[in-house]
Amino acid sequence: DEIISIGAFRMINCRLLREKRFEQLVDPQRSIPWTSVKIHGIHPEMLIGQPFIDQVLPQFHQFVEDTMLVAHNAAFDMRFLQLKEEAIGLHFDNPVLDTLLLSSIVHPNQEGHSLDAIAERFNLTIVGRHTALGDALVTAEILLKLIPLLKAQGIHTLEDALIASSQSPFAK
């Protein structure tokens, strides 16, 4: 697998800044299996002329510099970034919050902690599911819904959230 799209939004003080976003398709320099295209909707012709990952990741690294990263099932996404670190000469050592793990903390008795299940639980509409920017947007909206629930459980700081996440049964 290769990265073919990166999407992110900036959040400041529990406010989602929709206009401050990073969105870029990436030419993976290889073919894309049709089974993947059916999921994310990115067709090979859409990637013709797009920059390669070694051009995109430094830009993304700059976008997320000195910030916390938030992702759903973050281990999956972070592994893709880590596999490219040596090639680009940069490291993604940002603190990372995982909405899957946080959901399992605030809703321990719920069976589903998929992005779709959590969005449904919070009555959020997912626009562009399985696209980098669409999934980033709903992940940010989920985090905003989780914050008051975390606070109600005494989880007030990033450190508190990271510690609680590490104790989730879903932590790897």
Side-chain angles (χ1 to χ4, degrees), residues 1 4 11 28 30 35 39 42 45 55 63 71 75 89 95 104 113 115-116 121 131-132 138 150 166 172:
D1 292 334
I4 60 169
M11 293 178 68
R30 59 169 268 205
T35 54
I39 294 170
I42 299 172
E45 59 272 11
Q55 298 166 298
F63 181 79
S104 74
H113 297 287
L115 200 60
D116 300 287
R121 199 161 33 249
T131 66
V138 76
L150 291 164
S166 71
K172 296 174 184 169

Side-chain angles (χ1 to χ4, degrees), residues 14-31:
C14 294
R15 282 189 359 203
L16 174 59
L17 306 176
R18 291 173 187 257
E19 70 282 359
K20 300 227 186 239
R21 66 179 178 230
F22 185 95
E23 180 179 22
Q24 182 63 58
L25 291 174
V26 179
D27 182 342
Q29 300 179 279
R30 59 169 268 205
S31 64

Side-chain angles (χ1 to χ4, degrees), residues 73-88:
N73 193 14
F76 180 83
D77 293 326
M78 293 307 297
R79 184 68 184 139
F80 277 97
L81 296 177
Q82 291 162 352
L83 288 170
K84 301 296 182 184
E85 287 178 336
E86 187 176 324
I88 64 167

Side-chain angles (χ1 to χ4, degrees), residues 1-5 25-26 28 30-47 76 128-135:
D1 292 334
E2 288 290 336
I3 298 170
I4 60 169
S5 181
L25 291 174
V26 179
R30 59 169 268 205
S31 64
I32 302 172
W34 179 244
T35 54
S36 296
V37 173
K38 289 192 295 188
I39 294 170
H40 51 61
I42 299 172
H43 292 265
E45 59 272 11
M46 296 168 67
L47 303 177
F76 180 83
R129 180 67 172 108
H130 294 294
T131 66
L133 203 62
D135 287 356

